[in-house]
């Protein structure tokens, strides 16, 4: 393994306490020579593995750097370099023993868990989403590149769309007001002589290459033809008496074309985009260049919008209402799932906890099956079983119950169904742990209670249950926490539906926060809203943090670390 | 990556109970008739109902997978004839084995890698004393409270960015998903293993050290072999969790059919199509359930023993 020391001296180093006040291992310096003698081949293998490992790491890093450097991607470059140097330093130094064991997992943790959590918090403050995907620079480039327009008094041409039969590329045969003829291709404009145009009418061949589009072809490729533009150089622009802004000769109709100028310019000082033809100023407002009259330039760009997403969640009526429902249902779902599985599991455990019953081992194995099956599979299976028109449950009992899609009473029936399925998934597990916990409670305790005159219920309520809860309490909290984010059951069973009406966001009656956030990001009806989704995720983070804090305070887990 | 936070069952002590003379003394000969039902019979009835409830969906799935009609409409209580047509059709219309292979590859690979990373970290926390040890352990506990799936948006955008630089590990690749799964390596498993390593007597290390072993050798030659049960448990839990993982797989693997895991592949196959595809889906569900079901049934003893001796949670 790569963490082995290079030589005998490494061993003596390793045997030293690695720092910190709690070092409990005594130094074994006197043994160093003996150790070195006996290490020989072993540490050579260690060295070999270490060098191979570091070789691969550094090789990959070099490749990464050679990819990133030309792209001027400084941030990822920095990450790669720092991570690689850290690995090299840790494994080549003799003073970093604990880190040799910790650093691989730590790097994975930082990159794929800590960073995403922080990034989520950041995205929650942005407008990242459909329409605002690009960075500001990219958006400006797009806007400026796409924005040409034909000013009044521009030079106009008679134009014939041409096609090259060899590869289907388009071109234009252009005649300017003076009667000069040009061939315009996607590469630029070239003057042509009489001789370059052979034939008459439909049989014209231009520059031995192009022929006019037939009517049918023109219809077929209408969009392409109308979008076609011939870039023109500054010299050409001067020829046509156009300003230096002249950008291209763009097709106006099938038979005309005109010189178009770039109308939009980025004002480097103010950061605004200015329309030089119309004289309108577009200022960046929340990721979109917007004029005073409200006109906008697309695409927008992603930018920090502060608490806008949170404000939307809390104040926008169309979002607040559904969000609040999802919020409440998330707690109800987690709590009820925990309670129903616990109660059924306990009841079963008590019923079957009788030594006279035969086949308890078999029963236990059978009851755990729902828990042992992959949950994505069982959720999909139940979705079929509860299908309104085809589902075996309805067909067997001759029913027509919309188990998963009823809108009535705020989706009460789908909510019931989802709890039922979750009960089915979890009761076997609760049965097992309750059986274990029950049998760990000494029977003399309940018997003593009965001798003292307690009824069966009183003995259960005051003796058995408290003892039981001590044992299974932490597992109940874990169950609640798990169901709080139980995405699979909700998403695969109902997809979060049936939808809550009157909201622009995809919220459903059975959605819990995590599935709601997922659908905002990846299934949005009005596009993907990463910003809002990340804000919802951040809200879940906060809730989880509060639970964890309470949980930590109530358990002794912090004191147990030694 | 932690398996679902609910740990596996603690072992029942029914045998101990039976062996307990006090209990055996109360064990009267089975009563008869009404009294039998009042004392014992209803318990059997309850057990029967519970087992029926647990197995009913499985029954329908087995039934649907061998019924001749591929649609849900063919469901009846007993099959009129048994056919393998659904299985044939499943393999024809979906890359089922590819999906299963992808799942086994990604979940299996990540589970093993997570197990190793976790074990290394656990060794440091169990055997070494260093500045930041306590903070490190607490940080792991804290980070574990925020499961990766909550950061799904950020991970998605992150991998989309990565694709721009390194297409091989970016969005839409299985390698990318695998790497993301590694992010959960240091988690509950680390605590689980640290607890177990703590129970391996340090005398063993000491004498190995006297004999000239390095920490690397002690870890590989002594601690790992002695901790095989907990390694198996951590690996199994990790594998079952990752095999089940849907949310990250669905957003990171892209649209290509052959790139999916079993979870995302079957979901895309059956979503909106229950009426037509129920038979083939049932066939796929049966086969796809086998890996975790078998692991669970045969590994149960390991899981239970590992968990109880590992002293997991506070």
């Amino acid at each position: 393994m790569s963490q082995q020391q290079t030589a005998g001296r490494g061993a003596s180093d390793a045997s030293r306490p690695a720092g910190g006040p709690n070092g409990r291992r005594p130094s074994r310096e006197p043994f160093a020579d003996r150790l070195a003698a006996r290490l020989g081949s072993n540490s050579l293998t260690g060295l070999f593995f270490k060098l191979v490992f570091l070789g691969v790491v550094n090789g990959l890093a070099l490749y990464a750097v050679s990819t990133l450097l030309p792209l001027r991607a400084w941030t990822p470059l920095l990450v790669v370099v720092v991570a690689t140097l850290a690995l090299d330093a840790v494994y080549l130094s003799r003073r970093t023993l604990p880190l040799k064991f910790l650093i691989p997992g730590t790097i994975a943790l930082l990159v794929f868990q800590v960073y995403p959590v922080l990034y989520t918090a950041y995205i929650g403050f942005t407008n990242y989403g459909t329409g605002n995907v690009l960075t500001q620079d990219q958006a400006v480039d797009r806007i400026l590149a796409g924005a040409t327009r034909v000013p009044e008094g521009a030079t106009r041409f008679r134009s014939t769309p041409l096609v090259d039969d060899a590869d289907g590329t388009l071109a234009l045969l252009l005649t300017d007001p003076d009667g000069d003829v040009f061939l315009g291709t996607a590469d630029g404009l070239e003057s042509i002589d009489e001789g370059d145009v052979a034939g008459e009418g439909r049989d014209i061949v231009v520059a031995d290459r192009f022929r006019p589009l037939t009517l049918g072809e023109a219809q077929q490729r209408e969009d392409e033809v109308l979008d076609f533009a011939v870039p023109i150089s500054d010299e050409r622009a001067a020829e046509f008496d156009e300003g230096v802004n002249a950008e291209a000769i763009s097709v106006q109709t099938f038979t005309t074309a005109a010189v178009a100028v770039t109308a939009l310019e980025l004002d480097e000082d103010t950061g605004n985009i200015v329309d030089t033809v119309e004289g309108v100023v577009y200022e960046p407002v929340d990721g979109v260049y917007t004029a005073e009259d409200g006109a906008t330039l697309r695409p927008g760009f992603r930018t920090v919008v502060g608490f806008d997403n949170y404000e939307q969640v809390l104040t926008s009526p169309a979002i607040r209402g559904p969000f609040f429902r999802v919020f409440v249902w998330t707690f109800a779902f987690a709590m009820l799932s925990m309670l129903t599985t616990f109660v059924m599991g306990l009841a079963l455990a008590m019923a079957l906890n009788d030594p006279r019953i035969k086949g308890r081992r078999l029963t236990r194995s059978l009851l755990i099956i729902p828990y042992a099956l992959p949950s994505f599979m069982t959720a999909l299976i139940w979705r079929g079983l509860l299908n309104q028109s085809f589902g075996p449950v309805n067909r067997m009992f001759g029913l027509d119950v919309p188990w998963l899609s009823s809108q009535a009473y705020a989706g009460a029936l789908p909510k019931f169904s989802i709890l039922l399925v979750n009960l089915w998934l979890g009761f076997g597990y609760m049965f097992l742990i309750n059986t274990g916990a029950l049998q760990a409670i000494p029977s003399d305790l309940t018997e003593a209670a009965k001798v003292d005159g307690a009824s069966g219920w009183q003995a259960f309520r005051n003796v058995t249950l408290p003892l039981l809860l001590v044992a299974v309490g932490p597992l109940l909290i874990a169950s609640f926490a798990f169901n709080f984010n139980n995405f699979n059951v909700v998403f695969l069973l109902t997809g979060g539906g049936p939808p809550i009406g009157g909201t622009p966001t995809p919220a459903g009656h059975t959605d819990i926060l995590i599935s709601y956030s997922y659908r905002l990001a990846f299934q949005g009806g009005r596009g993907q809203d990463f910003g809002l989704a990340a804000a919802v995720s951040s809200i879940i983070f906060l809730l989880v943090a509060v639970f964890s804090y309470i949980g930590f305070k109530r358990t002794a887990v912090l004191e147990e670390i030694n | 990556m932690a398996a679902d936070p609910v740990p596996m069952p603690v072992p029942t002590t029914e045998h101990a109970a039976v062996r307990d003379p006090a209990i055996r003394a109360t064990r009267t000969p089975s009563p008869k008739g009404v009294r039998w039902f009042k004392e014992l019979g209803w318990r059997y009835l309850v057990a029967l109902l519970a087992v029926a409830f647990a197995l009913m969906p499985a029954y329908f799935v087995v039934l649907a997978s061998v019924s001749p009609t591929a649609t849900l409409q063919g469901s009846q209580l007993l099959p009129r004839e048994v056919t393998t047509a659904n299985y044939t059709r499943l393999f024809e219309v979906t890359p089922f084995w590819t999906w299963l292979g992808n799942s086994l590859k990604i979940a299996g690979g990540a589970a093993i890698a997570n197990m190793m990373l976790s074990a290394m970290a656990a060794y440091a926390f169990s055997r070494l004393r260093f500045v930041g040890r306590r903070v490190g352990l607490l940080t792991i506990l804290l980070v574990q409270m925020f499961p990766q799936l909550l950061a799904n948006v950020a991970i998605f955008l992150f991998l989309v960015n990565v694709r721009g630089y390194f297409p091989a590990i970016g969005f839409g690749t299985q390698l990318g998903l695998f790497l993301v799964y590694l992010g959960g390596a240091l988690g509950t498993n680390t605590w689980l293993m640290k607890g177990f390593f703590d129970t391996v007597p340090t005398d063993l290390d000491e004498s190995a050290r006297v004999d000239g072993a390095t920490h690397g050798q002690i870890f590989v030659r002594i601690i790992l072999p002695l901790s095989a049960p907990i390694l198996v448990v951590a690996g199994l839990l990790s594998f079952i969790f990752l095999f089940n993982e849907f949310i990250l797989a669905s957003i990171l693997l892209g649209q290509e059919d052959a790139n999916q895991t079993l979870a995302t592949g079957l979901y895309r196959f059956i979503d909106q199509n229950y009426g037509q595809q129920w038979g083939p889906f049932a066939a796929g569900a049966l086969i796809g359930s086998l890996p975790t079901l078998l692991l669970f049934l045969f590994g149960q003893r390991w899981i239970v023993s590992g968990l109880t001796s590992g002293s997991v949670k506070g």
Side-chain angles (χ1 to χ4, degrees):
Chain A
M1 290 302 282
S2 44
Q3 59 274 10
Q4 289 184 354
Q5 302 291 334
T6 43
R9 280 176 305 171
S12 65
D13 172 68
S15 66
R16 221 181 287 139
N22 301 337
R24 63 177 184 194
R25 260 167 261 287
S27 168
R28 295 202 180 271
E29 292 298 347
F31 290 101
D33 295 339
R34 218 174 108 197
L35 298 182
R38 303 194 61 149
L39 264 175
S41 64
N42 279 341
S43 73
L44 273 182
T45 354
L47 183 64
F48 175 74
F49 280 122
K50 177 156 85 180
L51 290 180
V52 168
F53 171 72
L54 287 182
V56 170
V57 167
N58 284 289
L60 286 175
L62 272 180
Y63 166 75
V65 168
S66 70
T67 313
L68 293 171
L69 208 52
L71 295 173
R72 298 172 177 280
W74 305 125
T75 318
L77 191 69
L78 190 70
V79 172
V80 168
V81 170
V82 168
T84 313
L85 287 183
L87 275 172
D88 287 342
V90 164
Y91 285 116
L92 291 177
S93 154
R94 280 197 231 106
R95 302 191 167 277
T96 51
L97 183 63
L99 280 176
K100 288 185 173 68
F101 286 92
L102 289 172
I103 200 159
T106 307
I107 289 181
L109 182 78
L110 287 177
V111 174
F112 292 111
Q113 188 146 6
V114 174
Y115 166 69
V117 168
L118 299 177
Y119 192 32
T120 303
Y122 167 74
I123 297 170
F125 290 108
T126 70
N127 62 351
Y128 209 151
T130 304
N132 300 83
V133 175
L134 304 174
T135 64
Q136 186 161 5
D137 289 346
Q138 288 169 328
V140 168
D141 284 350
R142 277 285 180 91
I143 290 169
L144 297 187
T148 57
R149 57 190 68 185
V150 177
E152 276 178 59
T155 313
R156 287 168 194 275
F157 298 82
R158 274 192 295 126
S159 140
T160 312
L162 307 172
V163 66
D164 179 357
D165 271 330
D167 53 12
T169 47
L170 293 177
L172 295 177
L173 180 63
L174 297 164
T175 313
D176 76 2
D178 300 334
D180 293 328
V181 184
F182 304 91
L183 173 66
T185 65
D187 298 327
L189 195 66
E190 46 189 292
S191 306
I192 49 177
D193 304 326
E194 298 269 319
D196 287 332
V197 183
E200 288 287 321
R202 291 177 176 284
D203 301 324
I204 293 177
V205 176
V206 180
D208 293 330
R209 197 177 148 199
F210 296 99
R211 62 165 179 80
L213 280 181
T214 65
L215 209 59
E217 285 169 332
Q219 269 172 2
Q220 228 172 31
R221 304 178 66 174
E222 185 182 345
D223 289 344
E224 244 182 293
V225 172
L226 291 180
D227 280 346
F228 193 74
V230 179
I232 50 177
S233 59
D234 290 352
E235 297 84 48
R236 288 284 185 193
E239 258 176 62
F240 299 124
D241 281 341
E242 298 287 351
V244 284
N245 282 337
E247 180 83 10
I249 298 172
S250 68
V251 170
Q252 301 298 298
T253 69
F254 278 112
T255 55
T256 60
V259 174
V261 300
T262 47
L264 299 181
E265 276 179 0
L266 181 66
D267 185 332
E268 299 284 355
D269 297 330
T270 59
N272 297 336
I273 290 182
V274 183
D275 186 329
T276 50
V277 176
E278 310 276 342
V280 182
V281 177
Y282 295 87
E283 287 182 38
V285 179
D286 283 351
V288 181
Y289 281 98
T290 312
E292 252 176 46
D293 62 354
T296 57
L297 298 172
R298 294 287 171 180
F301 55 92
R302 53 182 200 249
T303 185
V304 173
V305 293
F307 281 91
D308 277 14
N309 291 316
Y310 294 92
E311 214 175 295
Q312 259 192 326
V313 168
L314 294 176
T315 60
S316 155
I319 295 177
R320 182 183 57 191
F323 175 80
F324 184 68
R325 286 183 173 200
V326 169
F327 188 85
V328 171
W329 168 241
T330 307
F331 280 89
F333 169 73
M335 188 56 84
L336 288 171
S337 292
M338 188 259 280
L339 282 180
T340 49
T341 51
F342 172 67
V343 169
M344 181 167 172
L346 178 59
L348 267 179
M350 293 180 66
L352 301 186
N353 187 26
D354 186 316
R356 288 171 297 178
I357 299 223
K358 296 183 183 77
R360 277 179 302 164
R361 182 174 286 271
L362 177 69
T363 315
R364 194 175 70 177
S365 292
L366 291 176
L367 290 184
I368 198 66
I369 284 182
Y371 185 73
L373 296 174
S375 70
F376 74 87
M377 202 75 90
T378 45
L380 288 174
I381 289 170
W382 272 101
R383 184 156 157 200
L385 296 182
L386 295 176
N387 186 303
Q388 184 178 357
S389 25
F390 315 113
V393 170
N394 271 354
R395 293 179 57 80
M396 200 165 75
F397 300 108
L399 301 171
D400 190 32
V401 180
W403 294 103
L404 301 176
S405 52
S406 165
Q407 296 264 14
Y409 303 107
L413 190 57
K415 283 175 177 164
F416 169 79
S417 304
I418 217 164
L419 285 172
L420 184 77
V421 170
N422 221 8
L423 173 65
W424 178 83
L425 277 169
F427 83 93
Y429 167 70
M430 286 291 185
F431 164 71
L432 276 191
I433 62 167
N434 279 315
T435 305
L438 276 181
Q439 288 172 346
I441 296 175
S443 57
D444 12 340
L445 284 181
T446 42
E447 272 157 27
K450 282 184 183 160
V451 169
D452 286 351
S455 69
W457 166 252
Q458 281 174 326
F460 170 75
R461 174 72 188 76
N462 296 319
V463 178
T464 312
L465 194 59
L467 286 172
L468 190 79
L469 284 179
V470 171
V472 301
L475 300 180
L476 292 186
I477 295 174
S479 159
F480 176 86
F482 177 70
N483 281 310
F484 195 81
N485 286 317
N486 196 343
F487 177 85
N488 275 18
V489 163
V490 170
F491 185 77
L492 296 179
L493 189 65
T494 64
I500 296 173
T503 166
T505 63
H509 286 296
T510 56
D511 258 326
I512 56 175
L513 286 169
I514 181 68
S515 67
Y516 177 56
S517 159
Y518 174 88
R519 298 206 304 153
L520 279 177
F522 301 105
Q523 291 194 331
R526 52 171 193 180
Q528 306 183 311
D529 198 334
F530 298 129
L532 193 55
V536 172
S537 286
S538 303
I539 292 175
I540 310 179
F541 281 139
L542 284 180
L543 291 173
V544 173
V546 172
F547 299 154
S548 314
Y549 179 71
I550 297 171
F552 278 158
K553 284 203 81 163
R554 295 188 62 120
T555 62
V557 71
L558 296 192
E559 282 83 56
E560 276 178 19
I561 304 171
N562 49 43
Chain B
M1 173 113 0
D4 70 33
V6 187
M8 291 305 118
V10 289
T12 60
T13 50
E14 56 188 76
H15 306 295
V18 173
R19 264 183 257 116
D20 186 333
I23 292 179
R24 203 183 290 164
T26 63
R27 199 172 170 183
T28 48
S30 287
K32 303 272 176 238
V34 179
R35 211 177 124 239
W36 176 84
F37 185 82
K38 267 185 150 178
E39 278 189 15
L40 274 184
W42 67 273
R43 296 175 194 265
Y44 283 108
L45 190 64
V46 167
L48 196 69
L49 288 176
V51 169
F53 178 54
L55 295 188
M56 189 216 21
Y59 174 73
F60 278 118
V61 171
V62 174
L63 187 68
S65 80
V66 296
S67 292
T69 35
T71 69
L72 266 170
Q73 275 165 328
S75 312
Q76 57 237 209
L77 269 185
L78 286 171
R80 291 208 187 103
E81 57 178 301
V82 171
T83 163
T84 57
N86 289 322
Y87 291 85
T88 325
R89 181 160 163 72
L90 173 75
F91 304 143
E92 266 169 20
V93 297
T94 72
F96 179 81
W97 297 115
T98 313
W99 291 342
L100 186 60
N102 290 344
S103 273
L104 294 176
K105 204 165 57 186
I106 299 174
I112 291 172
N114 280 353
M115 192 179 73
M116 289 315 298
L117 295 183
S118 224
M120 284 169 65
Y123 180 80
F125 285 125
S126 169
R127 285 299 192 269
L128 307 174
R129 291 295 177 273
F130 51 93
V131 180
R133 175 174 170 278
R134 193 182 141 86
V135 173
L137 274 170
L138 281 180
T139 308
I140 287 176
L141 198 64
L142 190 70
V143 170
Q144 200 53 37
M145 298 296 157
F146 303 95
Q148 268 184 321
L149 82 163
L150 281 182
N152 62 68
V153 174
I155 291 179
F156 167 75
L157 296 174
F158 175 42
L159 280 214
V160 168
N161 284 340
V162 168
R163 182 177 61 172
Y165 305 123
F166 308 109
I169 58 169
F171 168 79
T173 64
Q174 297 179 7
L175 194 56
L177 182 64
F178 167 83
L179 288 175
V180 167
Y181 284 162
L182 289 193
L186 298 191
T188 357
N189 279 344
T190 312
W191 276 76
L192 189 71
M193 290 188 192
K194 178 202 168 269
F196 194 93
F197 292 176
D198 284 346
T199 66
V200 175
T202 48
D203 300 357
L204 293 174
D205 313 21
E206 302 281 343
S207 53
R209 186 102 37 71
V210 170
D211 287 346
T214 63
H215 271 284
Q217 288 165 333
I218 294 172
F219 174 64
V220 174
R221 303 265 168 86
I222 297 179
I223 301 289
L224 286 190
L226 285 177
S227 310
I230 203 71
L231 295 181
V232 172
V233 171
L236 278 184
L237 294 182
S238 218
F239 175 79
I240 291 174
F241 177 84
L242 293 176
F243 192 81
N244 255 318
E245 209 284 326
F246 178 84
I247 188 167
L248 291 175
S250 78
I251 59 180
L252 296 182
L253 286 177
Q255 294 302 314
E256 201 189 314
D257 220 19
N259 209 20
Q260 306 299 315
T261 62
L262 197 57
T264 58
L266 274 182
Y267 170 72
R268 288 151 54 106
F269 173 62
I270 189 70
D271 186 40
Q272 316 294 343
N273 266 323
Y274 279 84
Q276 295 83 52
Q277 309 289 16
W278 181 241
F281 168 76
L286 271 189
I287 305 176
S289 296
L290 288 182
T292 53
L293 186 65
L294 292 181
L295 276 182
F296 202 91
L297 291 183
F298 290 109
Q300 204 171 357
R301 198 157 302 190
W302 284 77
I303 293 175
V304 168
S305 70
L307 274 178
T308 45
S309 45
S311 73
V312 206
K313 295 208 165 190

